Amino acid sequence: RKHSWMEQPDLNTPRSVTMAWTIDSLMFFGRAYWQVTNTYAEDGRPSRFTWIDPRRVTWNTNASNTQIAQYFVDNNAVPMNGVGSLITFQALDDGVLARGGKTIATAHGLETAAYNISQDPVPMGILKNSSFDLTEDQIISSLNAWKQARKTKSTAYLNSNFEYQVVGFDSKSMQLVEARQHIASEIARLMNVPAYVVGADQQANMTYSNAVDTRKDLVNNTLRGYIAAIEDRLNMADITAAGTYVRFDLDDYL
């Protein structure tokens, strides 16, 4: 038996979008939520859903803190069954944001450093004046002229009274290329994907003969946990009756 919600869980959203955001939630937050929008009259099981951003969901637990007693969406209590209730999916870990914060912050910092250098590729420095002291207005005027020259021209002129001294590091000294290559590998490790998927492995050589095996490896080593989390939850008795099975169709991808 094939239910219509298997083709399109949310009447207002393509299935691909619903599944993409569900896996995104599992990947980053370790949990995902569908809210029941309709049920079958004959058995009360859900017939349509809508994806809910996990950041909108909170809960209260029982007195022993062992079970969720009440879910809230946008701080509003929702039913615990039937229309309006939540179907919860649990990932196999706490999610990337819980276990990879430092790696993500490092990657963000490197991107910021690369962006700053792209906007001003000349290393930070000082203009040393070996002549008489300038007034404050003259200093500001000289610095603004030097800054403008660096932005619009490949060269700038300094007379014998001024000397430019570098006090910062250029991109080569900072080893930005190497650092970004390393953090790309760390991101791949964090996401449990091969380094070549994010372009971190420059030695990877993809050929037609190993493309199928590579896709199989990606499914088994990276995607299988998310696939199992979704399949197993949708196969539970409150969603599907006996004789109905939910499985991802991977034939086209593989």
Side-chain angles (χ1 to χ4, degrees):
R1 182 185 179 185
K2 191 171 186 179
H3 292 291
S4 57
W5 63 260
M6 295 182 184
E7 292 291 339
Q8 190 175 2
D10 186 343
L11 283 176
N12 299 314
T13 307
R15 180 180 61 180
S16 58
V17 175
T18 298
M19 299 314 301
W21 282 110
T22 301
I23 294 175
D24 179 276
S25 300
L26 290 171
M27 184 179 297
F28 286 100
F29 296 94
R31 61 190 187 276
Y33 301 96
W34 286 3
Q35 189 167 32
V36 178
T37 58
N38 208 342
T39 58
Y40 290 111
E42 62 268 23
D43 58 12
R45 288 187 173 89
S47 62
R48 295 292 178 183
F49 310 85
T50 186
W51 170 82
I52 297 293
D53 190 326
R55 290 169 292 188
R56 297 173 56 195
V57 179
T58 54
W59 56 84
N60 288 338
T61 59
N62 60 9
S64 58
N65 203 34
T66 58
Q67 190 174 10
I68 292 177
Q70 179 65 61
Y71 279 109
F72 301 84
V73 176
D74 299 329
N75 295 321
N76 297 314
V78 297
M80 294 303 286
N81 55 70
V83 174
S85 63
L86 296 180
I87 304 299
T88 63
F89 301 84
Q90 285 84 34
L92 305 185
D93 62 22
D94 291 336
V96 169
L97 296 182
R99 57 183 168 83
K102 289 184 178 180
T103 301
I104 296 172
T106 301
H108 181 267
L110 285 172
E111 286 300 307
T112 301
Y115 173 79
N116 290 339
I117 287 180
S118 72
Q119 298 300 300
D120 191 5
V122 180
M124 184 176 66
I126 61 173
L127 287 177
K128 181 179 179 181
N129 178 18
S130 58
S131 182
F132 56 88
D133 291 335
L134 302 179
T135 66
E136 183 176 351
D137 289 341
Q138 290 174 320
I139 293 174
I140 294 175
S141 176
S142 298
L143 290 176
N144 287 337
W146 176 252
K147 183 178 181 180
Q148 185 64 26
R150 292 172 68 188
K151 284 186 175 181
T152 59
K153 302 174 184 178
S154 59
T155 57
Y157 171 76
L158 291 175
N159 61 33
S160 59
N161 295 329
F162 286 96
E163 177 186 358
Y164 180 71
Q165 296 181 348
V166 175
V167 297
F169 298 97
D170 57 20
S171 59
K172 182 177 180 181
S173 300
M174 293 174 66
Q175 294 186 316
L176 272 182
V177 174
E178 294 83 356
R180 295 176 77 196
Q181 191 74 13
H182 170 72
I183 200 62
S185 298
E186 291 300 304
I187 290 292
R189 185 175 292 111
L190 175 64
M191 304 303 295
N192 194 33
V193 298
Y196 68 82
V197 172
V198 297
D201 185 0
Q202 302 298 327
Q203 304 301 319
N205 183 22
M206 186 62 60
T207 65
Y208 178 80
S209 61
N210 63 18
V212 174
D213 289 337
T214 299
R215 290 189 176 194
K216 288 181 179 178
D217 288 342
L218 191 62
V219 169
N220 291 330
N221 298 328
T222 304
L223 303 179
R224 182 58 63 187
Y226 305 114
I227 290 174
I230 295 173
E231 287 181 344
D232 291 349
R233 179 63 187 94
L234 294 179
N235 278 318
M236 292 177 67
D238 62 327
I239 304 295
T240 54
T244 302
Y245 301 93
V246 179
R247 293 287 185 270
F248 277 91
D249 183 1
L250 302 175
D251 290 347
D252 184 60
Y253 176 73
L254 296 176

